[in-house]
Amino acid sequence: MVKIGMMIGNRYEILEKIGTGGMSDVYKAKCHKLNRFVAVKVLKQEFSENSNFVSKFRTEAQSAAGLMHPNIVNVYDVGEDNGIYFIVMELVEGITLKKYIEKKSRLGFKESVSIAIQVCMGIQAAHNNHIIHRDIKPQNIIISKEGKVKVTDFGIAKAATSNTITSNVMGSVHYTSPEQARGGYSDEKSDVHSMGITLFEMLTGRVPFNGETTVAIAIKHIQEEIASPRDFVPEIPASVDGIVLKCCQKSPDRRYQNMAELIADLKQSLMNPDEDFVVVNSPVATGGTVVITEGEVEQIKKATGYQDDVPVKPETMRLREKEQEEDEYVDGEEEDGDDYDYDPKMERITTILAIVIAIIICIFVLIIGVKVFQKIESSKNAGSPISTEESKQVILPGVTEKSDEQVVEKVEMPELRGYTVENARNTLTEMGLKSKVEYEESDTVDAGLIISANVTAGSEMVKGSTVILTASAGPQGVEVPAVVNLSYEEAENKLTAEGFEVLQMEAYSDTMPAGIVAAQVPVGGSKAPRETTVTLTVSLGSEIKKVKVPGLLGLSEMDATVILTESKLSIGSVSYVYSGYPVGQVCFQSQGADTWLDQGAAIDIQVSQGPAPVKVTYKCNLSIDSPAAEDPAYTSGSPVSLKLVASDGTVLLETGSVTSFPHSANYTNLNASSGKLTLTYTVTSDPTVDEEGNTIPGESETKTITREVAFTVE
């Protein structure tokens, strides 16, 4: 049993209990070897003798031990001490995201997206190591006092190395994916779904599905479509709303396929929140609302630990609940799990009502579809839209005359034969029509005049339509060389050689290198009279926009990340240094504020760890006396070996034959505050005379004296 003050693994001193979970307790401890505070997760005593629980506990440690990332609670050590199984982790002092949401009711979209980006980065690191978390929820996300977001509790994570993974542990049912609820295969896209539910809760302050029992909630995850977050908070931007809905698609194929895709859209939403750039993948053949079978219902019941009409022993139910409640630790806080009361009759009624509602919806959709089809058919039989000469407008079928947005304006096509190309195009433009010119040789019409148009004069045309004009190239019209994809110099030489004039225009292009012709008018292969001006659009290359670097000094790391993203810049390397800035604030940025950089450039930052610790050094001014003070048998003048060793192991003095005392020893700039002096010498006893009068020499004995020496601060 773990007690406060006890030592585990000969290095971890247990200081206080800071949290508890289904299978383990979490303690704050001090590592005496590295002199730092850590969190120690200890397997509960009632499980330590169960081989299955011990195996699961070790699996948790092995899954998390290989993950080293700023957005993951790092695991330092794992071991066993006299039957106590423990994992040593990074101690994060802060608050869980669940508590943070409860304190603020709901979070703003920028804060929600910024937190989600950091969480996704941590999960992405796990996925890159073939580890799926399977229990993403606000209770398992910690926001440290410095604002750093970290993912923890890989309690039900497993290495995703096989093609069929079935987990009996569902995690928290409010955040589970449909495939997890069915007890089937789950992969990285299951974590994407749970991340979407977590983002939904951050934005709205509530979970999308609730119910009387875990089974009822799981069925909703399988059968019901998630509501739009904007239904609860209308000011949520369209892009963020789309990201949540894409994450929470029932079919895994319609979600983000990996965390990298999700992170990219989250960052884009910070820069362009109101743009509709989220694209949901095409539905698979089995897409749409799925009505689960009775077998699947039973499978869900088994996964959640419930059985109809079969009494469950309290001990068994308690163990099942503990497996499903891996609540995360917080320094000084304890997370409470969700409790659910299971009522078999209510669960059956809920299931039947859900099926009946689904059938009613299907019938309603079918009726609407038939009516729409009938309207379409009647519209086809009704013929073309009715036009009136007075208004020269047409009213579309099914649109009232009062709907100004649906009215199509028409104009009368003028007679343009004999006009110059320039005058004809100007006339059409003033009428709201577009034009395109084609040239053909003519012996009867002068070069540059309109021969005909593809629309008869007097006909009515919808504004915005395009009229194709045929102009005369004269009797000596020649083919215009195709010069697109050539350099401007090559194109100019080719055209002037055929007698054409050249007009250069420039434009940015993401697909064409700088200096290359991207377009020409008239187009290559058409015919035009000599001396016709050919307009060439020459590429300037990709448009590189410059952005101003914001000032980051004094901001938290999270705020700096958000501001850089909003400024269309990216954050480069992040390092932690000692400085005069408060702990957690940015104290250095690689590019100065108000300078201009290319859009997307990376800015390196340094985050303060506070002032550097003051180094204390010591000095030793020692006058060493002879051993006579401790040993009267020592004879003055006898040689003595001296050895002085500092407490950090540094040997300061080592000499073999000192005969004159006191002996001086002076040292400075020492890191240790004390040392140990050893004096080694030989003492010879006086000779003796035996009964026969013979002199017996004295015996020699080597002696050692140790003295503790205290150093003084310099």
Side-chain angles (χ1 to χ4, degrees):
M1 182 177 178
V2 178
K3 296 182 179 180
I4 304 301
M6 73 179 296
M7 191 77 72
I8 295 180
N10 294 322
R11 63 184 290 188
Y12 304 110
E13 180 186 358
I14 302 299
L15 300 179
E16 60 177 311
K17 186 175 182 179
I18 58 175
T20 186
M23 292 169 48
S24 57
D25 295 319
V26 183
Y27 297 87
K28 181 179 179 180
K30 183 177 182 180
C31 174
H32 285 271
K33 189 171 184 179
L34 298 178
N35 193 29
R36 66 180 178 185
F37 293 104
V38 295
V40 178
K41 180 179 283 190
V42 179
L43 186 64
K44 288 184 176 179
Q45 186 67 32
E46 58 263 35
F47 301 135
S48 60
E49 297 179 359
N50 187 311
S51 59
N52 290 331
F53 283 107
V54 171
S55 175
K56 180 180 177 181
F57 194 75
R58 286 176 173 167
T59 300
E60 174 183 350
Q62 292 168 357
S63 297
L67 300 177
M68 296 295 292
H69 191 273
N71 297 116
I72 292 178
V73 176
N74 297 313
V75 174
Y76 297 143
D77 192 10
V78 59
E80 182 267 337
D81 186 355
N82 295 324
I84 298 174
Y85 296 90
F86 63 90
I87 301 173
V88 182
M89 301 177 294
E90 174 186 5
L91 178 65
V92 182
E93 296 185 353
I95 186 174
T96 65
L97 179 57
K98 185 72 172 180
K99 290 288 186 182
Y100 189 58
I101 295 171
E102 290 173 355
K103 285 178 65 176
K104 299 188 69 173
S105 297
R106 61 181 178 85
L107 311 183
F109 95 88
K110 286 188 178 181
E111 186 176 21
S112 299
V113 171
S114 299
I115 291 173
I117 289 173
Q118 295 191 59
V119 174
C120 290
M121 286 179 175
I123 301 172
Q124 183 184 26
H127 288 178
N128 291 340
N129 285 272
H130 309 293
I131 295 173
I132 305 169
H133 193 291
R134 290 191 177 85
D135 197 20
I136 299 297
K137 57 183 178 180
Q139 293 92 327
N140 286 340
I141 298 168
I142 301 177
I143 303 175
S144 69
K145 292 180 178 178
E146 295 77 28
K148 196 74 175 177
V149 180
K150 291 178 177 284
V151 185
T152 186
D153 199 358
F154 284 78
I156 59 174
K158 295 182 180 179
T161 55
S162 63
N163 291 326
T164 55
I165 302 174
T166 302
S167 173
N168 290 327
V169 182
M170 287 182 60
S172 295
V173 71
H174 287 97
Y175 308 92
T176 191
S177 65
E179 57 269 25
Q180 284 177 286
R182 290 192 182 93
Y185 176 86
S186 57
D187 58 8
E188 289 87 348
K189 293 185 281 294
S190 298
D191 284 351
V192 170
H193 185 280
S194 298
M195 188 63 238
I197 301 292
T198 300
L199 183 54
F200 183 102
E201 185 173 356
M202 283 193 281
L203 293 166
T204 65
R206 51 167 291 162
V207 292
F209 298 120
N210 257 318
E212 294 287 334
T213 66
T214 56
V215 175
I217 298 172
I219 291 174
K220 288 183 179 181
H221 274 290
I222 296 172
Q223 289 187 328
E224 297 183 13
E225 293 296 335
I226 187 174
S228 168
R230 301 180 81 180
D231 292 345
F232 305 99
V233 185
E235 58 265 29
I236 294 174
S239 61
V240 179
D241 184 76
I243 289 171
V244 173
L245 295 178
K246 183 173 180 179
C247 286
C248 298
Q249 290 291 315
K250 299 302 180 191
S251 170
D253 293 332
R254 302 193 69 189
R255 302 175 201 150
Y256 292 99
Q257 299 302 291
N258 51 61
M259 284 294 168
E261 293 181 5
L262 176 53
I263 292 171
D265 272 9
L266 287 170
K267 290 182 177 179
Q268 180 74 2
S269 70
L270 285 177
M271 295 185 290
N272 303 295
D274 296 320
E275 287 188 11
D276 186 14
F277 55 80
V278 179
V279 178
V280 178
N281 300 326
S282 299
V284 295
T286 56
T289 303
V290 178
V291 179
I292 62 174
T293 64
E294 290 295 328
E296 288 177 320
V297 172
E298 293 302 321
Q299 194 172 8
I300 295 171
K301 292 177 183 177
K302 183 180 293 185
T304 54
Y306 294 106
Q307 298 180 16
D308 288 340
D309 304 325
V310 177
V312 181
K313 293 181 179 180
E315 296 82 0
T316 304
M317 183 60 73
R318 179 173 58 82
L319 291 178
R320 288 176 178 169
E321 289 174 349
K322 287 182 177 179
E323 282 186 322
Q324 296 172 358
E325 292 178 350
E326 283 297 325
D327 289 335
E328 185 46 47
Y329 66 91
V330 178
D331 187 17
E333 296 189 19
E334 181 174 323
E335 293 292 333
D336 296 327
D338 296 330
D339 296 326
Y340 303 100
D341 295 326
Y342 177 65
D343 185 349
K345 181 180 291 185
M346 181 60 69
E347 185 266 321
R348 283 195 293 273
I349 293 173
T350 303
T351 303
I352 293 172
L353 285 175
I355 294 173
V356 170
I357 292 171
I359 293 173
I360 293 173
I361 292 173
C362 290
I363 294 173
F364 179 75
V365 171
L366 183 60
I367 293 172
I368 295 299
V370 171
K371 288 186 177 182
V372 171
F373 180 80
Q374 289 175 346
K375 274 191 175 183
I376 293 173
E377 288 298 315
S378 62
S379 298
K380 289 181 179 178
N381 295 334
S384 304
I386 301 172
S387 62
T388 61
E389 293 183 358
E390 292 80 1
S391 64
K392 296 184 179 179
Q393 296 176 346
V394 60
I395 308 301
L396 298 177
V399 179
T400 65
E401 294 183 4
K402 294 181 181 180
S403 180
D404 295 333
E405 296 180 359
Q406 302 293 339
V407 174
V408 177
E409 296 186 26
K410 283 196 170 186
V411 294
E412 186 177 297
M413 176 65 186
E415 177 60 69
L416 298 175
R417 283 182 295 181
Y419 279 53
T420 64
V421 171
E422 182 179 1
N423 289 339
R425 299 191 73 176
N426 288 340
T427 299
L428 293 175
T429 301
E430 290 172 359
M431 298 175 65
L433 298 174
K434 300 177 183 178
S435 61
K436 181 179 179 182
V437 180
E438 296 179 352
Y439 290 84
E440 67 177 36
E441 294 182 15
S442 174
D443 296 330
T444 59
V445 180
D446 292 339
L449 300 181
I450 300 299
I451 299 174
S452 64
N454 69 329
V455 180
T456 305
S459 301
E460 289 187 342
M461 294 192 66
V462 177
K463 278 191 175 183
S465 301
T466 301
V467 177
I468 300 176
L469 302 173
T470 302
S472 172
Q476 297 180 349
V478 295
E479 185 174 319
V480 180
V483 294
V484 174
N485 292 323
L486 299 180
S487 67
Y488 175 73
E489 291 76 13
E490 292 176 308
E492 184 181 30
N493 292 336
K494 215 171 182 182
L495 290 168
T496 55
E498 294 294 331
F500 294 100
E501 300 291 335
V502 177
L503 174 64
Q504 179 184 2
M505 298 182 66
E506 295 179 330
Y508 290 105
S509 172
D510 293 331
T511 58
M512 200 71 70
I516 301 300
V517 176
Q520 69 176 92
V521 178
V523 296
S526 62
K527 288 187 177 182
R530 296 183 189 278
E531 298 183 359
T532 298
T533 299
V534 180
T535 303
L536 301 181
T537 303
V538 182
S539 171
L540 293 174
S542 298
E543 183 178 9
I544 301 177
K545 296 181 180 178
K546 297 286 186 178
V547 294
K548 183 184 287 188
V549 177
L552 305 176
L553 301 183
L555 300 179
S556 68
E557 183 180 346
M558 178 186 293
D559 289 342
T561 303
V562 172
I563 289 176
L564 284 176
T565 304
E566 291 176 339
S567 302
K568 298 185 179 180
L569 296 169
S570 61
I571 190 163
S573 64
V574 180
S575 56
Y576 302 88
V577 298
Y578 294 113
S579 79
Y581 279 80
V583 176
Q585 290 187 3
V586 175
C587 59
F588 168 81
Q589 59 184 94
S590 58
Q591 297 292 335
D594 298 330
T595 57
W596 293 85
L597 292 179
D598 294 341
Q599 182 175 309
I603 307 293
D604 300 333
I605 64 172
Q606 292 180 352
V607 180
S608 174
Q609 292 181 315
V614 179
K615 183 180 180 181
V616 179
T617 58
Y618 300 85
K619 63 182 178 180
C620 171
N621 297 321
L622 187 63
S623 178
I624 305 173
D625 294 328
S626 71
E630 292 94 346
D631 185 4
Y634 170 75
T635 302
S636 178
S638 298
V640 180
S641 296
L642 304 177
K643 185 174 183 179
L644 177 59
V645 181
S647 58
D648 62 358
T650 304
V651 178
L652 303 177
L653 171 66
E654 190 169 17
T655 181
S657 56
V658 176
T659 57
S660 177
F661 293 95
H663 182 82
S664 297
N666 300 305
Y667 304 96
T668 60
N669 198 30
L670 302 178
N671 293 322
S673 61
S674 62
K676 183 180 293 185
L677 175 65
T678 304
L679 299 85
T680 305
Y681 57 95
T682 300
V683 175
T684 303
S685 61
D686 295 333
T688 59
V689 179
D690 61 11
E691 295 177 353
E692 297 177 356
N694 298 320
T695 301
I696 302 174
E699 295 181 352
S700 296
E701 179 185 359
T702 299
K703 292 186 176 182
T704 299
I705 294 175
T706 301
R707 297 173 183 170
E708 297 292 335
V709 180
F711 303 155
T712 57
V713 178
E714 287 185 321

